[in-house]
Amino acid sequence: MARQEDEAQSITQGRKSIDGETLAARHLDDKSTTMPTQRDPSNTLRGCQRILILGRTGSGKTTLARELAAAIGVPHVELDALYFGPNFSTAPLPVLRDRTSAAIAGDRWVTDGNKSAVRDLVWPRADTILSSA
């Protein structure tokens, strides 16, 4: 949205855009003016309903996910908590998949983790993917 406002201001002032294109030369039927604006999670999380946070071990995925979920008022789904049991025992694959499916069934959540065994469940449901790297 900010870029559209900048472009509109640039057109009225005859300046060039960020990418060097003369905005005054654009046609009003150009895709940039007819296509809906895509949201940019680096500027706002408005509209983000199901957020997946990826990153290396120890990169802060869980901390970021927990704080983000609390800030926007949605459940935090920690994939490691679904996978690991007492004394770092691990859940069998069918159990992990069932737990994950149930945890991400809601309309809004923030999850963190890199579990390839449930990637096919989580990634298609996520509307926003962030990296904590």
Side-chain angles (χ1 to χ4, degrees):
M1 182 125 151
R3 181 175 171 123
Q4 282 184 332
E5 290 170 4
D6 290 345
E7 287 181 356
Q9 185 178 16
S10 295
I11 289 171
T12 60
Q13 295 177 0
R15 295 185 310 199
K16 292 185 176 186
S17 71
I18 294 171
D19 59 7
E21 179 183 0
T22 303
L23 295 172
R26 284 191 177 181
H27 298 286
L28 291 178
D29 62 349
D30 186 347
K31 282 186 180 179
S32 64
T33 60
T34 59
M35 297 293 287
T37 303
Q38 292 183 350
R39 65 184 163 72
D40 181 358
S42 66
N43 292 327
T44 181
L45 291 175
R46 188 176 330 140
C48 299
Q49 302 296 312
R50 293 173 303 278
I51 302 169
L52 168 60
I53 299 177
L54 301 173
R56 292 179 174 190
T57 300
S59 65
K61 295 180 301 293
T62 302
T63 301
L64 176 61
R66 184 183 311 117
E67 291 177 5
L68 179 57
I72 63 176
V74 302
H76 170 225
V77 177
E78 182 183 352
L79 294 180
D80 278 350
L82 302 177
Y83 181 63
F84 289 110
N87 300 317
F88 289 102
S89 61
T90 57
L93 181 59
V95 172
L96 173 62
R97 290 182 63 81
D98 287 345
R99 288 176 180 173
T100 302
S101 292
I104 64 168
D107 291 333
R108 301 183 71 216
W109 41 260
V110 175
T111 188
D112 62 272
N114 296 320
K115 299 285 179 265
S116 60
V118 295
R119 185 175 296 156
D120 64 313
L121 302 174
V122 178
W123 287 32
R125 295 239 338 118
D127 62 29
T128 305
I129 299 176
L130 304 175
S131 173
S132 66

